[in-house]
Amino acid sequence: MGRLDGKVVVLSAAAQGIGKSTALAFAREGAQVIATDINGEKLKELDGTPGIETRVVDVTKQADIEALVSSLDKLDVLFNCAGFVHHGTILDCKEEEWDFAFNLNVKSMFLMCKAVIPKMQAGGGGSIINMSSVASSIKGAPVRFVYGATKAAVIGLTKSIAADFAAQGIRCNAICPGTVDTPSLRDRLRALGDEEEVLKTFVARQKMGRLGTAEEIAALCVYLASDESCYTTGTECVIDGGWSV
Ligand code: NAD
């Protein structure tokens, strides 16, 4: 028996990192997974995995979202994972970077949630998981200005949806990882200089002396997607190895 048997799950950003690990974890627990990403080439790595169907979806495009959601008979779980990390303070942040970050990290969640909630209402409930971060309203992380602002907005969006739809059996929670070792994190390390040296500075700020793994974040997503978490809504689930303590 899988913990997600019989559940239909949609997630974004499934081509790599946390999204990919979570798609695999959802499928291992028996879910029927629709794994989406804008990067069709990388997404192909999931093709052939039992329980996973892949679709190319740009979560900033309403037409893509409508096509995806209208093709589903039912939907039990939505994991909004897509997001982008800009480096810098407010003084570094260009207006177009602000707009890009809010469009991808926040507006896409508005569009996705608005599209799926009627489907969840028709099915008698559901679970929405929104990717936030500890770098948000939880912690002011240096040189994460616009990223932190977007991820704080995700927490507000999440709580608002949770309050409006709890009585209809639709739960909505945010997850707030610390620093997780993913391909995009590696890109950010390389952009800052010698990858291994910069990695040491990232690890040095971790109380556990290591970064998180995508599989550890996926385990939290499985819990929030499953009925085990049926009394949990509107929360900001911190999973950061103690970084924010
Ligand atoms: P990543 O950055 O390595 O991959 C992101 C994926 O999103 C890519 O496959 C990319 O193709 C996809 N994507 C980009 N734009 C898209 C769009 N418009 N539509 C659909 N897909 C799109 O992934 P990651 O590091 O695992 O991060 C995933 C999420 O977790 C992000 O929201 C990120 O902010 C958040 N997060 C990451 C960390 C970390 O340390 N890695 C920590 C906290 C939160």
Side-chain angles (χ1 to χ4, degrees):
M1 269 268 295
R3 292 157 72 197
L4 301 176
D5 279 349
K7 291 199 189 292
V8 177
V9 174
V10 165
L11 78 161
S12 63
Q16 65 179 27
I18 296 166
K20 184 177 187 184
S21 291
T22 305
L24 293 167
F26 283 160
R28 275 197 305 275
E29 291 296 343
Q32 181 189 326
V33 181
I34 295 117
T36 75
D37 200 286
I38 197 172
N39 186 339
E41 268 313 299
K42 275 224 114 258
L43 197 56
K44 281 187 187 150
E45 292 171 16
L46 288 173
D47 283 343
T49 310
I52 298 184
E53 179 192 329
T54 59
R55 306 242 192 119
V56 176
V57 173
D58 178 343
V59 289
T60 66
K61 299 254 164 21
Q62 181 137 28
D64 281 20
I65 294 170
E66 275 168 14
L68 169 72
V69 176
S70 65
S71 72
L72 305 172
D73 291 333
K74 71 158 193 158
L75 179 62
D76 301 294
V77 177
L78 168 67
F79 176 29
N80 285 314
C81 183
F84 184 80
V85 185
H86 284 99
H87 181 87
T89 71
I90 188 171
L91 300 181
D92 305 310
C93 184
K94 299 187 181 77
E95 190 177 347
E96 52 268 33
E97 289 173 331
W98 173 275
D99 290 342
F100 180 91
F102 269 86
N103 196 36
L104 176 55
N105 297 6
V106 188
K107 189 178 170 191
S108 70
M109 295 195 188
F110 154 63
L111 295 174
M112 288 285 271
C113 292
K114 191 170 176 178
V116 306
I117 285 171
K119 236 156 223 146
M120 289 180 170
Q121 285 174 312
S127 173
I128 298 171
I129 305 162
N130 290 328
M131 178 57 87
S132 179
S133 171
V134 154
S136 60
S137 48
I138 295 169
K139 184 179 173 77
V143 290
R144 288 287 175 269
F145 164 68
V146 69
Y147 181 73
T150 63
K151 294 299 188 181
V154 168
I155 291 173
L157 174 148
T158 299
K159 287 178 187 278
S160 182
I161 292 171
D164 284 337
F165 296 97
Q168 295 174 49
I170 299 171
R171 301 184 292 113
C172 188
N173 291 286
I175 62 168
C176 304
T179 311
V180 184
D181 200 351
T182 64
S184 73
L185 179 88
R186 292 285 167 169
D187 291 343
R188 290 193 288 282
L189 296 180
R190 280 188 289 275
L192 291 172
D194 181 283
E195 183 179 341
E196 289 312 311
E197 286 307 309
V198 183
L199 176 64
K200 280 183 198 156
T201 67
F202 275 57
V203 170
R205 65 186 192 188
Q206 304 300 322
K207 289 194 173 56
M208 289 190 182
R210 67 171 181 86
L211 304 184
T213 68
E215 290 74 21
E216 287 166 336
I217 312 304
L220 175 61
C221 294
V222 168
Y223 170 69
L224 290 172
S226 78
D227 295 338
E228 295 159 17
S229 59
C230 61
Y231 202 53
T232 300
T233 195
T235 64
E236 43 201 72
C237 296
V238 172
I239 175 163
D240 69 346
W243 187 34
S244 58
V245 172

